[in-house]
Amino acid sequence: MARLVMKFGGTSVADIERIRNVARHVKREADAGHDVAVVVSAMSGTTDRLVQWCRETSVLHDAREYDTVVASGEQITSGLLAIALQAIGVVARSWQGWQLPILTSDAHASARILEVNGDELIKRFRERREVAVISGFQGLHRETGRVTTLGRGGSDTSAVAVAAAIRADRCDIYTDVDGVYTTDPRVVPRAHRLERIAFEEMLELASLGAKVLHVRSVELGMVRRVPILVRSSFVSPDDIDPHAAPPGTLICDEEDIVEQQVVTGIAFSKDEAQISIRNVQDKPGVAANIFGPLADANINVDMIVQNVSADGATTDLTFTVPAADFERAKSTIANARAQIGYARLDGATEVTKVSVIGVGMRSHAGVAAKAFRALADRGINIRAITTSEIKFSLLIDAVYTELAVRTLHSLYGLDKP
Ligand code: ASP
Ligand code: MG
């Protein structure tokens, strides 16, 4: 017998038929004797509509009232799922964030979970085998007593936080894909589903834009040591053998991965832009003069490459920003030209950042060097490189994205046989 959290996203609860399907998944686990807490998102499209209503009412609206509005989507699904469960004979009760409570910071619209009280849920597991159905995404700020929300996609984080609070053995995230892949299967048909991936690797993937999981949920799983299983909600509950290992990708501690590969996955992002500042004066304080104003303008700088100056006087500096911030970043630099002192500003938006991730890189040398050679053999020029302990990223021309990702995918032995 185990204790499980089952989380269902918007597409999994998109209509009443899908909610009934979810109820049958829940019944399967409850019938197997497990303690079950379910965390649900709003029906797909609902949160978008609620957000839109706030904007339509007033472009500049109070974040506390925004939270009042957008938290309502999850309230509907938790109630409906509890009804669907009761209808098939499962003892169930819904819980809103404020009822448990799930306490958060007061950063309305992007609150952080501080504490979850799971005592009442555990008591009810013991006393009456009651399934808890919890609204994801929402919480309560204790001092003001107001409802908060966690930021878009936040119900994954609710689920992991609840799992930690009730000391669950596992947090199952049911979604519209059947797991985490070595790379996007739409780009590389030979991508395969990973059986396991380490928290740190998943954190990199999620931060790099793999949209499977909310970044904070992975952080929380890592800190609180909650194994997270990403699995499909589109498999019929009747087709799952309750005695077999559940299908999906397990996000777990590195030590729990027996056959660790050097490279686990490849991510890529086309939402990048490159800015190069030519002939910058090579003297102390220049980097501060460039990146200070960008930080003040809330622009996230990612890769940074600075050449070693040849003449000792000037150098070139290249960095990337999100494509959406490209124009703003250029004008921010242009406005600071007098302080920075440079000859020319160049930029490119048709670029892609390709990242190769694997905890095995810590103990293997030459992993990135192999990539440079392979890409050179295909005539792909690398515009910028950054490396960290378990990842390296390359900035290339966007037209070569697919070729580069496929090349690296084969190179590191990730192609499915
Ligand atoms: N319903 C919220 C959203 O659409 C939270 C979630 O689904 O994770 O962002
Ligand atoms: Mg989601």
Side-chain angles (χ1 to χ4, degrees):
M1 246 72 81
R3 184 170 290 164
L4 299 175
V5 167
M6 305 172 75
K7 186 260 167 179
F8 294 89
T11 48
S12 310
V13 291
D15 54 36
I16 303 302
E17 206 33 61
R18 304 279 313 139
I19 290 176
R20 286 209 185 96
N21 182 61
V22 166
R24 292 193 296 139
H25 275 291
V26 175
K27 183 173 175 9
R28 180 193 72 229
E29 301 295 1
D31 285 352
H34 304 315
D35 292 342
V36 184
V38 190
V39 174
V40 286
S41 291
M43 292 165 142
S44 62
T46 300
T47 310
D48 286 342
R49 196 174 60 237
L50 297 171
V51 170
Q52 185 49 33
W53 280 348
C54 291
R55 286 198 191 123
E56 246 177 81
T57 310
S58 170
V59 185
L60 290 174
H61 47 258
D62 185 329
R64 283 161 292 204
E65 302 309 341
Y66 165 97
D67 277 351
T68 302
V69 176
V70 300
S72 66
E74 273 70 11
Q75 176 159 346
I76 297 172
T77 34
S78 61
L80 288 174
L81 179 58
I83 294 174
L85 284 165
Q86 290 168 359
I88 54 173
V90 178
V91 181
R93 184 59 65 211
S94 69
W95 297 88
Q96 306 313 306
W98 61 268
Q99 288 173 308
L100 283 179
I102 295 178
L103 296 176
T104 72
S105 69
D106 65 351
H108 282 278
S110 60
R112 289 191 87 97
I113 295 181
L114 302 175
E115 193 189 316
V116 178
N117 190 331
D119 296 348
E120 183 64 21
L121 304 186
I122 294 174
K123 186 162 154 257
R124 288 169 181 239
F125 292 149
R126 294 211 176 108
E127 286 175 2
R128 46 189 129 149
R129 311 217 37 75
E130 184 177 280
V131 170
V133 185
I134 301 153
S135 290
F137 187 48
Q138 30 162 285
L140 173 75
H141 180 238
R142 182 166 22 206
E143 279 84 81
T144 58
R146 300 220 59 100
V147 169
T148 54
T149 64
L150 307 180
R152 299 305 306 271
S155 52
D156 294 337
T157 303
S158 309
V160 178
V162 167
I166 64 171
R167 297 179 295 280
D169 298 284
R170 207 176 65 218
C171 180
D172 285 2
I173 306 272
Y174 287 79
T175 181
D176 47 8
V177 291
D178 64 354
V180 180
Y181 279 70
T182 47
T183 194
D184 186 342
R186 285 166 302 186
V187 169
V188 182
R190 304 184 78 174
H192 69 272
R193 177 162 59 79
L194 293 158
E195 285 300 318
R196 289 180 176 223
I197 182 169
F199 284 118
E200 270 184 88
E201 294 170 327
M202 191 62 215
L203 203 52
E204 292 286 0
L205 277 180
S207 315
L208 288 165
K211 295 199 176 58
V212 209
L213 285 180
H214 197 230
V215 178
R216 269 192 220 161
S217 70
V218 186
E219 264 167 21
L220 198 59
M222 181 155 89
V223 173
R224 303 291 302 270
R225 307 195 126 205
V226 178
I228 302 171
L229 182 69
V230 178
R231 57 189 296 181
S232 169
S233 69
F234 286 84
V235 182
S236 161
D238 310 321
D239 293 342
I240 295 176
D241 174 359
H243 305 292
T249 301
L250 188 71
I251 307 166
C252 59
D253 270 345
E254 205 179 313
E255 292 83 64
D256 297 329
I257 302 177
V258 187
E259 284 183 37
Q260 186 71 61
Q261 308 294 314
V262 177
V263 168
T264 304
I266 298 174
F268 57 91
S269 154
K270 294 183 178 176
D271 301 325
E272 308 285 325
Q274 174 191 329
I275 294 178
S276 294
I277 311 180
R278 307 292 180 199
N279 297 94
V280 191
Q281 295 169 49
D282 196 13
K283 61 171 198 213
V286 167
N289 286 342
I290 294 172
F291 297 113
L294 290 169
D296 292 343
N298 250 323
I299 296 172
N300 259 322
V301 174
D302 182 22
M303 313 175 88
I304 302 176
V305 183
Q306 185 185 337
N307 290 343
V308 176
S309 155
D311 55 7
T314 67
T315 182
D316 288 351
L317 200 132
T318 292
F319 57 90
T320 62
V321 296
D325 291 332
F326 180 59
E327 293 301 336
R328 228 155 47 82
K330 275 202 309 190
S331 56
T332 304
I333 297 295
N335 289 338
R337 182 168 190 167
Q339 285 149 273
I340 304 169
Y342 62 86
R344 205 175 76 236
L345 201 58
D346 292 335
T349 50
E350 295 301 300
V351 292
T352 297
K353 181 175 72 173
V354 179
S355 304
V356 177
I357 297 142
V359 289
M361 281 186 212
R362 277 202 214 103
S363 47
H364 286 79
V367 181
K370 265 172 85 175
F372 305 155
R373 166 77 12 235
L375 295 185
D377 288 346
R378 284 176 184 61
I380 302 174
N381 183 37
I382 301 170
R383 291 167 164 263
I385 304 169
T386 53
T387 64
S388 74
E389 224 191 356
I390 65 160
K391 174 193 85 176
F392 65 89
S393 300
L394 310 172
L395 192 70
I396 60 168
D397 288 344
V399 286
Y400 295 122
T401 307
E402 304 196 349
L403 179 61
V405 175
R406 283 188 194 156
T407 302
L408 299 177
H409 198 265
S410 310
L411 180 72
Y412 294 112
L414 298 175
D415 288 354
K416 80 174 160 224

